[in-house]
Amino acid sequence: MGMEDSSQCHLIAANPGGDDQSPPCALSSSSSPSSPSTVNQTLVLLQSGDPNLRVQAAKDIRRLTKTSQRYRRHFSDAVEPLVDMLCFGSDEANEAALAALLNLAVKDETQGRVKKIRGLRQDFIRSLRISAGREVGHYDVLKNKVNIIHAGALKPIINFLQSDNTTLQEHAVAALITLSASPANKPIISASGAIPHLVNILKRGSSQAKFDAVMALYNLSTHPENITLILQTEPLSPLITLLKSCKRSSKTAEKCTALIESLVAFDEGRTVLTSEEGGILAVVEILEGGSHQSREHAVGALLTMCQSDRSKYREPILREGVIPGLLELTVQGTAKSQSKARTLLRLLRESPYPRSELQADTLENIVCNIISQIDGEDQTGKAKQMLSEMVQVSMEQSLRHLQQRALVCTPADLPINTCSSEVPSK
């Protein structure tokens, strides 16, 4: 699909209701927050015979690992006792342990963000100083993901997906987002039977659980053998329902559309999308108003359908008013979107065969042909007007690009025309 896995889910907030304050016996007041004794004391309490102390230790781990890559590395030995709590604890213990495991496995994406206001030179120097440490931390988080699976966490997590406890279910789905970001875990998670439960949550779960289920399913779909397993659970209907209800520019819409693009590669997927009321329209609306990545997936899905059986899917696609969105993509989309949009426009015209030299296969002729079939010959002017607007936008973008190139390549003390020969003609 050409996209990275979704590994950043919502971190479990520390101290959401004031219950994360450690009792005096949990952590020594003389211990520094970053001292090894803090880690050692917490690990000891985590294996205590007192269930209350174990729950408190799990909450402390959740709090300490919420934003600290260092603590995620130091608490790697907590994985097995936390997994034990998943198997034998109360609902409170299950929630605390699952939240701690989730934070142990999540990579903190905020630490590596570049702050442009500091200047490129400062960022470059800073990145050299910390790159080695960051790579080690990333490796440890990946190791935590794998170790959590190997410690036996999947079975209780799958059980929690079916729980009536909404909080526990949401924590379980969020954990699967993170764990499924590891390539080594994808086939293991799918083999555990998680996919049908995730699709069931798409149908009946809370709003948060539905959003996270889409992310987890997307991660799993990037493993080649998993997409057929997902298709067998009939996910398209709930995916379309969710796509209609979420914000077009959202990450949820992006992942829904990416899954739909993968699923319509199969005849069963195409059949469901066309038979579902408003199915194709939902994809067309993302093509018109989604993020750049969502629009790329949307046009890819429609193109896949048309390429598989043009005579069957051409009319259903045209009926949903796809032409304006495709025209806009030909000049404003990503490189892949532009190429796919042009190819789809050619497939949507009346004849799939090349025109003669007297009737060139230009974008204008293709669109005029399509518009005349939909609204009548007198409406071909619509196509020309839309194309004129798109050409104007394209020319303005090209002009801005040339101006930016000129500014970049022109020294401040030289006139602009001294470097004009370096700007290629368009």
Side-chain angles (χ1 to χ4, degrees), residues 39-61:
V39 175
N40 294 334
Q41 289 177 35
T42 307
L43 289 173
V44 169
L45 292 174
L46 188 62
Q47 301 178 67
S48 167
D50 186 338
N52 293 328
L53 289 180
R54 296 185 71 184
V55 169
Q56 185 58 53
K59 291 180 178 180
D60 287 336
I61 292 172

Side-chain angles (χ1 to χ4, degrees), residues 264-265 267 270 303-311 313 347:
V264 296
D267 184 59
R270 295 189 292 271
L303 179 59
T304 297
M305 294 175 68
C306 214
Q307 287 177 327
S308 70
D309 191 337
R310 177 184 173 277
S311 61
Y313 297 114
L347 288 172

Side-chain angles (χ1 to χ4, degrees), residues 38-101:
T38 299
V39 175
N40 294 334
Q41 289 177 35
T42 307
L43 289 173
V44 169
L45 292 174
L46 188 62
Q47 301 178 67
S48 167
D50 186 338
N52 293 328
L53 289 180
R54 296 185 71 184
V55 169
Q56 185 58 53
K59 291 180 178 180
D60 287 336
I61 292 172
R62 177 187 70 178
R63 174 174 54 82
L64 293 168
T65 58
K66 183 175 183 288
T67 58
S68 173
Q69 196 79 350
R70 184 182 69 256
Y71 271 125
R72 291 178 190 139
R73 184 165 65 252
H74 291 165
F75 276 116
S76 59
D77 289 338
V79 168
E80 289 192 14
L82 287 171
V83 171
D84 287 341
M85 288 178 66
L86 297 181
C87 300
F88 305 110
S90 62
D91 279 358
E92 183 186 16
N94 292 156
E95 291 177 18
L98 195 53
L101 286 169

Side-chain angles (χ1 to χ4, degrees), residues 27 36 189 244 249 254 290 305:
L27 292 176
I189 293 173
K244 292 176 181 178
S249 58
E254 179 184 319
M305 294 175 68

Side-chain angles (χ1 to χ4, degrees), residues 112-357:
R113 290 177 183 169
V114 175
K115 294 183 178 179
K116 294 183 179 180
I117 58 173
R118 295 182 179 178
L120 293 176
R121 183 177 179 182
Q122 288 179 319
D123 287 338
F124 177 68
I125 294 173
R126 181 173 178 270
S127 67
L128 289 177
R129 290 174 178 170
I130 66 176
S131 61
R134 184 182 298 158
E135 289 172 2
V136 172
H138 180 57
Y139 171 78
D140 282 298
V141 169
L142 289 175
K143 186 171 68 173
N144 283 347
K145 284 180 170 68
V146 174
N147 287 345
I148 289 170
I149 295 292
H150 287 171
L154 262 184
K155 185 176 180 179
I157 288 176
I158 299 301
N159 290 335
F160 298 154
L161 292 178
Q162 307 166 69
S163 174
D164 294 330
N165 182 326
T166 302
T167 301
L168 198 56
Q169 186 182 77
E170 290 177 354
H171 284 4
V173 182
L176 284 183
I177 297 178
T178 303
L179 296 175
S180 63
S182 168
N185 288 342
K186 296 177 193 291
I188 301 173
I189 293 173
S190 59
S192 72
I195 290 174
H197 297 301
L198 289 170
V199 173
N200 191 53
I201 289 173
L202 278 183
K203 300 174 182 177
R204 302 177 181 87
S206 67
S207 295
Q208 185 62 59
K210 286 179 180 180
F211 297 153
D212 288 349
V214 168
M215 302 296 180
L217 285 169
Y218 168 76
N219 281 356
L220 292 172
S221 74
T222 60
H223 187 269
E225 297 178 4
N226 284 345
I227 193 65
T228 54
L229 295 176
I230 295 173
L231 182 64
Q232 291 168 8
T233 61
E234 301 180 354
L236 266 168
S237 181
L239 279 174
I240 293 167
T241 300
L242 185 59
L243 187 59
K244 292 176 181 178
S245 64
C246 67
K247 189 176 180 181
R248 295 182 189 179
S249 58
S250 66
K251 185 63 70 172
T252 301
E254 179 184 319
K255 301 306 180 185
C256 278
T257 315
L259 281 166
I260 290 171
E261 182 184 15
S262 297
L263 293 168
V264 296
F266 301 86
D267 184 59
E268 303 96 306
R270 295 189 292 271
T271 300
V272 173
L273 184 62
T274 52
S275 61
E276 189 76 20
E277 184 177 357
I280 293 179
L281 177 59
V283 177
V284 170
E285 288 178 342
I286 296 300
L287 184 148
E288 294 173 339
S291 66
H292 285 302
Q293 204 64 48
S294 296
R295 299 178 79 186
E296 186 176 307
H297 289 307
V299 70
L302 298 177
L303 179 59
T304 297
M305 294 175 68
C306 214
Q307 287 177 327
S308 70
D309 191 337
R310 177 184 173 277
S311 61
K312 183 176 181 179
Y313 297 114
R314 175 178 174 273
E315 289 300 327
I317 292 173
L318 284 174
R319 278 199 301 267
E320 303 302 348
V322 73
I323 300 304
L326 287 177
L327 284 171
E328 185 177 350
L329 274 184
T330 60
V331 294
Q332 290 187 327
T334 64
K336 288 183 179 180
S337 294
Q338 291 182 24
S339 175
K340 290 178 180 179
R342 289 178 178 276
T343 303
L344 183 55
L345 282 168
R346 292 187 180 95
L347 288 172
L348 292 175
R349 70 182 181 187
E350 182 178 19
S351 171
Y353 304 105
R355 303 294 185 91
S356 66
E357 292 183 3

